[in-house]
Amino acid sequence: MKNYTSSHARFFPHKSTFVLLFLGLFPSLIFSQDYRTINAYMEDFAKNELYVKKSLMDYSVTIVESKLYTRTQYAAERIITKLENVNTMLKTNNKGFEGNTSLRDGFIKMNQKTIDCLKNGTLILSDYEYQASLPLAEIAENFVRKERELRSYYDELEIYEATKKSFAQQNKFPLKVIKRKNILVYNAFQNLLFYKMNVLDEKLVSIVMEKDKAGFSECLRMLDAMNLETMDKTAEYRNDYTDTSLNDASAQYADFIAEQKAKLSPLFNDYADQYNSLKRLKDKVSPETTETIDEYNNAVINFNAKKKLFYTVFNNIQATKDKLYNNWLDTNSSFLKRNAKFDSIYANTIVSESDKS
């Protein structure tokens, strides 16, 4: 169990969440081929989209937690380079189908949006420690910005899907439309809830180390608001998938984070008050007498007692929180493995006879 009484150890020094991207690596695009049929043209797009989804899903499931921050940074740089090369090749060599380049252009636009969001950090939720170093007001502003940018990114995904549907209709291609909630979008916003909770909790830990009563109270207020937001959104997401395991894990984690308030507030306030009393005695300029020495010694004893009482509860909470954190990650991984199933590319793209009936 971590002991927070002797150092400024951070609750989650390396743990973070990589938001799933829709587009990423396209190694098998055929840029200069003249397609004789619309089916061949669309199948090449389907192959590359499927490759991307599988690659990014596998990455999200298997990534090593202790190396997550550095690996997400490396992955971002690698994907940016690939996408920039893909866009250059598409612009130079892809002629579309019978002169219609709308699908190609939509693909390029989606790629560029991915590049922009990787560069500005929208798609990488791995900066707990940095965020926790900021004032609470700035953290709140960053949350709003992050969610706005993430929604903008997935709006672009929907635009691309609409472009593909329109392109298919123009070329009389029977595109299969999957009405289920896009799993990458669903997972991204579950990740965002998890990210917000962990940033605020990391901030709470840093405030505890500083013995800041006002900051502690304000951070708990924000955690209460975050709990309400999580409950509202998990209720909203509940019908998106019959498998509600990830949704349930998010709600459970949010409740535990919020429950810290009742357990820690009285103990922390006593501990911080006693710390301030002891500090005032240390800073007090007065003749050293038996009375002043006794007063100081009693203050030290009281401080140590309140400190021990607070950290006994605090460290127990952190140990349980570690388990719930890891449970959320395991649940997330299992959820993706169960639900992110991609079968035959052509079958997933073309409307089958059974789908028509």
Side-chain angles (χ1 to χ4, degrees), residues 271-288:
Y271 164 53
D273 285 342
Q274 193 60 44
Y275 169 80
N276 290 327
S277 295
L278 182 59
K279 189 174 184 301
R280 283 193 295 270
L281 284 176
K282 284 182 177 180
D283 296 340
K284 186 177 179 181
V285 178
S286 60
E288 189 173 281

Side-chain angles (χ1 to χ4, degrees), residues 186-187 189-191 193-194 197 227 230-257 259 323-325 327-332 335 338-339:
Y186 175 86
N187 190 261
F189 284 99
Q190 291 282 1
N191 283 334
L193 290 175
F194 192 60
M197 288 185 278
N227 179 258
T230 303
M231 293 303 107
D232 286 344
K233 288 183 176 176
T234 51
E236 176 187 336
Y237 300 156
R238 181 160 294 279
N239 294 326
D240 288 341
Y241 280 85
T242 55
D243 181 349
T244 63
S245 59
L246 182 57
N247 205 53
D248 295 341
S250 294
Q252 180 188 22
Y253 190 70
D255 276 342
F256 182 85
I257 295 291
E259 287 167 2
K323 293 177 183 177
L324 288 173
Y325 182 97
N327 175 69
W328 191 95
L329 294 174
D330 291 342
T331 301
N332 186 43
F335 175 84
R338 283 194 302 271
N339 295 285

Side-chain angles (χ1 to χ4, degrees), residues 30-269:
I30 303 172
F31 298 106
S32 57
Q33 180 175 338
D34 289 322
Y35 294 91
R36 297 182 62 183
T37 68
I38 184 61
N39 283 25
Y41 187 78
M42 292 298 285
E43 187 174 6
D44 268 353
F45 267 88
K47 286 178 181 178
N48 288 284
E49 287 183 14
L50 185 62
Y51 175 84
V52 171
K53 292 174 184 178
K54 282 188 173 181
S55 297
L56 292 168
M57 198 70 74
D58 290 344
Y59 177 81
S60 299
V61 168
T62 60
I63 195 163
V64 179
E65 281 299 309
S66 62
K67 298 178 181 178
L68 185 56
Y69 181 78
T70 55
R71 286 187 66 178
T72 53
Q73 294 300 100
Y74 169 75
E77 293 169 4
R78 183 168 56 89
I79 291 171
I80 287 169
T81 299
K82 291 284 187 180
L83 289 180
E84 288 175 339
N85 290 339
V86 165
N87 278 359
T88 298
M89 293 295 290
L90 284 170
K91 291 173 183 176
T92 304
N93 299 316
N94 189 286
K95 302 174 183 178
F97 181 74
E98 295 183 348
N100 186 338
T101 62
S102 61
L103 183 58
R104 181 207 70 176
D105 295 341
F107 214 40
I108 290 172
K109 186 179 179 184
M110 185 68 218
N111 284 349
Q112 188 58 52
K113 185 71 172 181
T114 303
I115 291 168
D116 293 343
C117 289
L118 282 168
K119 287 182 176 179
N120 67 24
T122 296
L123 297 174
I124 301 178
L125 305 181
S126 56
D127 58 346
Y128 296 168
E129 189 169 352
Y130 168 70
Q131 289 293 326
S133 71
L134 302 174
L136 286 165
E138 190 170 347
I139 291 173
E141 291 173 2
N142 287 346
F143 284 171
V144 172
R145 177 187 56 79
K146 180 78 75 174
E147 181 154 0
R148 181 177 64 246
E149 291 174 348
L150 199 60
R151 290 193 182 281
S152 175
Y153 176 74
Y154 286 106
D155 285 346
E156 192 67 43
L157 182 154
E158 294 299 326
I159 292 171
Y160 171 72
E161 289 297 320
T163 298
K164 183 165 61 177
K165 182 178 179 181
S166 175
F167 180 86
Q169 290 173 341
Q170 290 169 21
N171 291 279
K172 298 181 173 56
F173 178 81
L175 184 70
K176 181 176 180 178
V177 178
I178 299 175
K179 295 181 179 180
R180 187 182 69 174
K181 182 81 170 181
N182 185 305
I183 192 170
L184 302 179
V185 178
Y186 175 86
N187 190 261
F189 284 99
Q190 291 282 1
N191 283 334
L192 184 62
L193 290 175
F194 192 60
Y195 169 77
K196 289 179 180 180
M197 288 185 278
N198 287 321
V199 168
L200 286 175
D201 194 68
E202 179 81 359
K203 182 64 175 178
L204 187 70
V205 170
S206 68
I207 288 171
V208 164
M209 301 303 172
E210 296 164 1
K211 305 172 189 65
D212 176 6
K213 282 184 67 176
F216 188 80
S217 177
E218 176 61 15
C219 192
L220 286 176
R221 185 195 66 76
M222 290 177 66
L223 280 168
D224 281 343
M226 187 64 231
N227 179 258
L228 291 175
E229 178 185 341
T230 303
M231 293 303 107
D232 286 344
K233 288 183 176 176
T234 51
E236 176 187 336
Y237 300 156
R238 181 160 294 279
N239 294 326
D240 288 341
Y241 280 85
T242 55
D243 181 349
T244 63
S245 59
L246 182 57
N247 205 53
D248 295 341
S250 294
Q252 180 188 22
Y253 190 70
D255 276 342
F256 182 85
I257 295 291
E259 287 167 2
Q260 294 178 107
K261 180 178 180 179
K263 297 175 182 178
L264 292 179
S265 289
L267 296 174
F268 177 78
N269 288 332

